[in-house]
Amino acid sequence: MRAREPDTTDKPHRLDNLTLARKEGWQRFVNTPARIPPEPLTRPELGALSDCAYEDYNRQRREWHANLGTIKTPQLAALHEDLWDIVDSNLQDGDKAKGAVAIDAFPGLGKTTSVLAFAREYHRREIAADGSQTREGHERWPVCRVGLTGNTGMLDFNRAMLSFFAHPGVSRGNAAQFAHRALDCVLACETRLLIVDDLHFLRWRNTSGVEISNHFKYIANEFPVTLLFVGVGLAARGLFSEGCTYEDAVIAQTGRRTTQLGMRPFAIDTDEGRREWRQLLLALEKRIVLADKHPGMLANELTDYLFVRSTGHIGSLMTLINRGCQRAIRTGAERLDGELLDRVKNDAASEKARQELAAAFDTRRLSTAVGKAG
């Protein structure tokens, strides 16, 4: 049978780097359909392609493996259930402050990915129920996302909100004026979820941090939104604690109104944890497009190896799989195995923990196999 030339007429629409900072980009993120994987081809079918078709097919695979999408892990599903509970319960009348949420977990556990997946579902639900325009004829934007930097103050934060809505008054004004304009945007666009990403960049115990904490309280009181914070080490930075100083008390007000949620890494100390790890690898196997891929390539042959290389962090695992697939395509290996992946570099944290974890597997103290003692 002659191999078919890959169909390249419907190329996926790429999302720009500012996707989540502007409402137009956010809409593209929400409405862009899921990528369609390239057609799996055998080695003989690969060999039958013309040079041009072969290069284009590899380009499709490069882009596919770099964007494998969100996998609905037990951690993601549990987080989404909690978020739906909180967001849907925040339908109080305007005289009541709404509770906030803080996703506080180590890097590489999929916090932002999970939050964005939830926000996309929430946006779609609200638009499906109420339409893309409000009764007054304004655009409806159920979600607004703001990313913080290390020196974000009230003025910068409010300007970022205005930039999301493409407000014309973003270039002139003070913090208070920006805040009133942002409130007008939220009310006009019926925004109900405000995501504040990278909250750990904020220096809580300086003037800027206290100002922002007070500003969050103002938003909770005056804006009809649920605040959703995402960050690393928020508890250690004092977001949920109460101290003796004025600054501690101010920051603790934010903590009193905030529900803390986390995300755990994959663990293999129980059969349930080992089954979760196996299901993740099986889901990844289905998405890989390599000519010599076969059932069990990840979930059987590389299960221990991949846990060692990723330390159970899904972000590190996805990085390793993506880079491994890129090398397998480029070198013609067309499969993933330990020899190929040994030549692929991963993030520094995983590489640092690799040697100690590998020793535990070598001595049989750890195993990802279901039914083995942890």
Side-chain angles (χ1 to χ4, degrees), residues 17-23 26 29 112 115-116 119 141-148 157 160-165 191 193-198 201 228 230:
N17 291 334
L18 294 178
T19 292
L20 306 180
R22 304 287 188 272
K23 61 185 179 67
W26 176 262
F29 169 75
T112 297
V115 165
L116 293 179
W141 294 100
V143 178
C144 172
R145 176 197 170 274
V146 176
L148 296 187
F157 182 83
M161 289 186 65
L162 291 179
S163 295
F164 179 89
F165 291 107
T191 302
L193 180 63
L194 174 57
I195 300 171
V196 183
D197 206 354
D198 293 324
F201 285 157
L228 201 170
V230 184

Side-chain angles (χ1 to χ4, degrees), residues 26 29-30 70 115-125:
W26 176 262
F29 169 75
V30 169
T70 304
V115 165
L116 293 179
F118 170 81
R120 178 165 49 196
E121 290 182 29
Y122 178 78
H123 182 109
R124 289 173 174 173
R125 187 189 75 171

Side-chain angles (χ1 to χ4, degrees), residues 200-243:
H200 52 276
F201 285 157
L202 189 65
R203 297 177 182 175
W204 284 101
R205 299 184 185 281
N206 62 14
T207 303
S208 177
V210 173
E211 286 178 351
I212 286 286
S213 183
N214 280 329
H215 192 54
F216 288 154
K217 180 184 175 183
Y218 164 72
I219 290 175
N221 288 337
E222 305 298 331
F223 287 44
V225 299
T226 298
L227 274 165
L228 201 170
F229 304 116
V230 184
V232 176
L234 302 182
R237 284 171 165 78
L239 178 61
F240 311 107
S241 63
E242 297 179 355

Side-chain angles (χ1 to χ4, degrees), residues 79-351:
L79 178 66
H80 282 197
E81 286 299 316
D82 289 333
L83 289 175
W84 284 119
D85 288 343
I86 296 167
V87 172
D88 285 345
S89 68
N90 275 348
L91 295 176
Q92 303 98 323
D93 293 333
D95 61 328
K96 299 181 179 65
K98 293 172 172 48
V101 191
I103 315 297
D104 186 9
F106 286 112
L109 296 178
K111 299 182 301 299
T112 297
T113 299
S114 300
V115 165
L116 293 179
F118 170 81
R120 178 165 49 196
E121 290 182 29
Y122 178 78
H123 182 109
R124 289 173 174 173
R125 187 189 75 171
E126 297 301 294
I127 294 297
D130 299 321
S132 60
Q133 287 192 324
T134 68
R135 291 181 180 178
E136 289 74 24
H138 301 294
E139 295 176 341
R140 176 175 281 108
W141 294 100
V143 178
C144 172
R145 176 197 170 274
V146 176
L148 296 187
T149 63
N151 59 354
T152 299
M154 280 201 305
L155 188 144
D156 304 301
F157 182 83
N158 293 334
R159 180 186 284 125
M161 289 186 65
L162 291 179
S163 295
F164 179 89
F165 291 107
H167 192 285
V170 72
S171 58
R172 286 189 175 184
N174 56 37
Q177 291 170 330
F178 285 165
H180 288 305
R181 293 168 193 165
L183 177 57
D184 288 342
C185 288
V186 166
L187 293 175
C189 299
E190 298 187 0
T191 302
R192 295 295 178 263
L193 180 63
L194 174 57
I195 300 171
V196 183
D197 206 354
D198 293 324
L199 189 63
H200 52 276
F201 285 157
L202 189 65
R203 297 177 182 175
W204 284 101
R205 299 184 185 281
N206 62 14
T207 303
S208 177
V210 173
E211 286 178 351
I212 286 286
S213 183
N214 280 329
H215 192 54
F216 288 154
K217 180 184 175 183
Y218 164 72
I219 290 175
N221 288 337
E222 305 298 331
F223 287 44
V225 299
T226 298
L227 274 165
L228 201 170
F229 304 116
V230 184
V232 176
L234 302 182
R237 284 171 165 78
L239 178 61
F240 311 107
S241 63
E242 297 179 355
C244 301
T245 68
Y246 166 75
E247 289 80 5
D248 289 335
V250 169
I251 294 171
Q253 283 188 315
T254 301
R256 278 287 181 178
R257 296 178 175 181
T258 303
T259 300
Q260 182 181 6
L261 302 177
M263 293 194 75
R264 59 179 174 81
F266 284 86
I268 55 171
D269 52 349
T270 65
D271 266 352
E272 181 182 3
R274 289 187 279 267
R275 277 191 290 268
E276 289 178 353
W277 177 251
R278 178 174 175 79
Q279 289 304 311
L280 172 61
L281 297 186
L282 288 172
L284 274 174
E285 270 186 19
K286 293 179 180 178
R287 301 192 184 191
I288 290 174
V289 183
L290 297 174
D292 289 345
K293 182 189 79 171
H294 55 275
M297 182 179 70
L298 301 186
N300 294 338
E301 299 171 10
L302 292 172
T303 173
D304 287 356
Y305 178 90
L306 291 174
F307 192 89
V308 169
R309 291 295 306 272
S310 67
T311 62
H313 287 61
I314 190 169
S316 300
L317 175 66
M318 298 297 284
T319 298
L320 183 63
I321 295 298
N322 174 19
R323 293 176 182 176
C325 288
Q326 305 298 345
R327 184 178 286 253
I329 292 170
R330 191 175 61 254
T331 63
E334 291 294 339
R335 59 170 292 165
L336 297 181
D337 55 32
E339 182 180 356
L340 180 142
L341 291 174
D342 274 339
R343 299 193 296 272
V344 175
K345 303 297 187 295
N346 208 0
D347 62 86
S350 295
E351 295 295 351

Side-chain angles (χ1 to χ4, degrees), residues 1-16:
M1 181 182 68
R2 186 177 181 274
R4 290 180 293 169
E5 298 284 306
D7 181 11
T8 62
T9 56
D10 187 20
K11 296 181 179 179
H13 190 61
R14 293 183 180 179
L15 299 175
D16 60 76

